[in-house]
Amino acid sequence: MVRGVLFDLDDTLVDQEAASRGAVVAWAAELGAGGGDGRGGDGRGGGDEVAARWARISERHYARYQRREIGFAEQRRERVREFLGVALDEGEADRLFAGYLARYEDGWVVFDDAVPALRRAREAGLVVAVLTNGEEGQQRRKLDRLGLLSEVDLLVASSSLPAGKPDRRAFRHAVGRMGVGAGEVLMVGDSLHKDVLGARAAGLEAVLLDRADVHAGAGVPRIRSLDDLAFAG
């Protein structure tokens, strides 16, 4: 019997990908790293290439932070240094990243199906929590700014944990704070590896949110929208 639901935050409740894409394309163009017309710095790629390269770089260094190989601030600096291809001291890297960050935060938008799903879960009497690999201060600010903080019972961020998803400890810690058993919790997220397979390895039930229909053969419970989630009261 499900007594609680864990939701991922970025690209599950909030359109993080669109916010990041818009931010990095504008930021790179301002710095001359993406061209004034949104083309790649070498003139061959477009905004999509700039955004894809930033996403690859970000994923690599953020994974290092999740493994606690580097700190949160340092992963930001490493992303800027690699993306721009220049050596930067900490202060300069922080200043440059701030230009991206301001645009990124301005681009935060809640998916239309997010609040209805959260409310259905709570109306069914379930404990509703967010488990995110983000930094707690930023993620709490995101929830508050977007009106989601009052829609959940608990926020668990990996910055307060020994490791982030898909590490089993992240899920077990979240479940413990929810006050329910692992087998009584459903994890809902957009990452097959981090959210679904990680949760299942920790003894939770899990469903993959596959908005773009790219994981048809994944062999796990899958939905295309949070509107497809049903909770028994």
Side-chain angles (χ1 to χ4, degrees):
M1 177 180 175
V2 174
R3 297 177 57 201
V5 187
L6 270 176
F7 286 91
D8 171 56
L9 180 54
D10 292 325
D11 292 320
T12 296
L13 301 178
V14 175
D15 193 350
Q16 189 275 155
E17 183 177 354
S20 179
R21 183 194 186 284
V24 74
V25 170
W27 175 66
E30 180 182 88
L31 296 176
D37 59 356
R39 295 175 60 82
D42 59 5
R44 293 176 297 176
D48 287 344
E49 190 280 329
V50 170
R53 186 161 61 89
W54 176 251
R56 290 192 299 270
I57 291 169
S58 297
E59 178 70 19
R60 180 164 58 255
H61 292 296
Y62 205 81
R64 295 174 63 202
Y65 161 64
Q66 291 300 327
R67 296 190 298 267
R68 300 302 183 259
E69 296 171 3
I70 57 176
F72 184 73
E74 188 59 23
Q75 61 84 22
R76 287 179 164 182
R77 296 168 187 145
E78 287 297 300
R79 288 157 65 187
V80 173
R81 290 165 180 148
E82 182 174 347
F83 182 75
L84 297 179
V86 294
L88 300 166
D89 63 28
E90 291 185 357
E92 185 66 6
D94 290 345
R95 184 187 68 78
L96 288 169
F97 189 87
Y100 162 78
L101 183 63
R103 291 178 171 87
Y104 170 61
E105 294 188 351
D106 284 344
W108 289 339
V109 175
V110 180
F111 285 113
D112 290 341
D113 55 3
V115 171
L118 295 172
R119 290 180 177 175
R120 287 199 309 277
R122 294 179 95 181
E123 288 166 0
L126 306 180
V127 180
V128 177
V130 168
L131 175 59
T132 171
N133 272 358
E135 191 274 329
E136 184 168 359
Q138 182 182 57
Q139 300 297 65
R140 186 172 297 278
R141 186 167 66 254
K142 184 183 298 181
L143 288 169
D144 187 39
R145 180 186 293 188
L146 298 176
L148 294 176
L149 197 57
S150 62
E151 302 290 348
V152 302
D153 300 306
L154 179 67
L155 167 66
V156 180
S158 68
S159 60
S160 64
L161 306 176
K165 299 176 291 184
D167 193 293
R168 297 181 187 184
R169 290 172 292 178
F171 297 99
R172 289 171 178 168
H173 181 88
V175 168
R177 290 187 59 186
M178 293 170 75
V180 295
E184 300 173 313
V185 176
L186 175 69
M187 176 73 207
V188 182
D190 69 292
S191 171
L192 176 62
H193 176 60
K194 296 175 186 175
D195 296 320
V196 176
L197 299 183
R200 293 175 74 173
L204 285 68
E205 298 294 325
V207 60
L208 177 65
L209 176 60
D210 188 10
R211 294 185 185 276
D213 196 24
V214 297
H215 293 292
V220 299
R222 188 174 66 104
I223 56 175
R224 294 290 308 281
S225 166
L226 295 177
D227 290 335
D228 298 330
L229 286 173
F231 305 105

